[in-house]
Amino acid sequence: RRILVDAGDVNVPEYINSLKSVLKEENVELEHIIVTHWHQDHIGGVKNVIENTENGKSCSVWKFKDDISASNCLPVNIPLKWLKNEDKIVTQGATLRVVHTPGHTTDHIVLCLVEEQAIFSGDCILGEGTAVFENLYDYMNSLNIILQLNPDIIYPGHGPVVESPVTKIQYYIDHRNKREGQILQVLKEKTFQKFTERELVKIIYT
């Protein structure tokens, strides 16, 4: 029995075929689907997974509950089970601990594989580039939470595996602080000017 972390986007046959192939080769079945956050490229494929895997209809589907994204994520015939911070989901040989990491979205979580020092990071940490966010304050707090978890490896929702996670997390923190510093520098140099967000972006992202 296995846990599936995120289910891809809606109606992506290549993903479903790949998933079915792995389940068959490994002679395993899905017990849980955990969604890291409500964005469609993570939750949209849940219906396809349930309908196209051998025991999909008996899977439990989990997501962190928040007031904004709790509804309208899935068809009404797919019940969601709600996660809380520090919950644990257990299957054969694996325990995933839920850590609420808002910022990218209000409901975002990362999952710590208890048996190893590994993290499934959703969209908080990416394999390439930096992440977008809804709330910078929350996101920076979440990056510091992940840093304190001191992972040995990160499996991101997008891009390659992160083999040097502490270095990567610190880069994310430093990069955001650098951007904030650039904004402050522009405002300091041009004290009596007003700027829209778009104008600041044009100056800073040269």
Side-chain angles (χ1 to χ4, degrees), residues 110-151:
V110 300
L111 298 162
C112 303
L113 182 57
V114 172
E115 289 77 9
E116 302 173 24
Q117 197 71 4
I119 288 177
F120 296 89
S121 64
D123 280 359
C124 233
I125 306 285
L126 304 179
E128 293 177 333
T130 54
V132 298
F133 45 84
E134 293 176 346
N135 185 303
L136 179 58
Y137 179 81
D138 288 344
Y139 182 61
M140 294 297 280
N141 283 337
S142 292
L143 289 177
N144 279 294
I145 287 169
I146 299 170
L147 185 64
Q148 290 165 23
L149 295 172
N150 195 30

Side-chain angles (χ1 to χ4, degrees), residues 32-138:
H32 302 284
I33 301 171
I34 304 178
V35 179
T36 58
H37 61 294
W38 69 267
H39 284 168
Q40 280 300 297
D41 57 334
H42 294 258
I43 200 170
V46 168
K47 182 173 182 287
N48 301 124
V49 172
I50 287 173
E51 291 178 349
N52 291 281
T53 53
E54 192 169 331
N55 73 313
K57 290 182 173 60
S58 63
C59 274
S60 297
V61 183
W62 300 86
K63 190 184 88 65
F64 189 88
K65 187 170 186 178
D66 73 307
D67 294 335
I68 297 171
S69 68
S71 59
N72 303 321
C73 289
L74 288 174
V76 291
N77 62 331
I78 301 176
L80 270 173
K81 294 186 175 182
W82 301 113
L83 294 167
K84 303 185 303 298
N85 191 45
E86 295 296 333
D87 276 353
K88 289 181 180 178
I89 302 294
V90 180
T91 193
Q92 290 175 322
T95 306
L96 290 179
R97 180 167 67 91
V98 174
V99 180
H100 185 213
T101 50
H104 177 71
T105 58
T106 56
D107 65 329
H108 196 285
I109 58 170
V110 300
L111 298 162
C112 303
L113 182 57
V114 172
E115 289 77 9
E116 302 173 24
Q117 197 71 4
I119 288 177
F120 296 89
S121 64
D123 280 359
C124 233
I125 306 285
L126 304 179
E128 293 177 333
T130 54
V132 298
F133 45 84
E134 293 176 346
N135 185 303
L136 179 58
Y137 179 81
D138 288 344

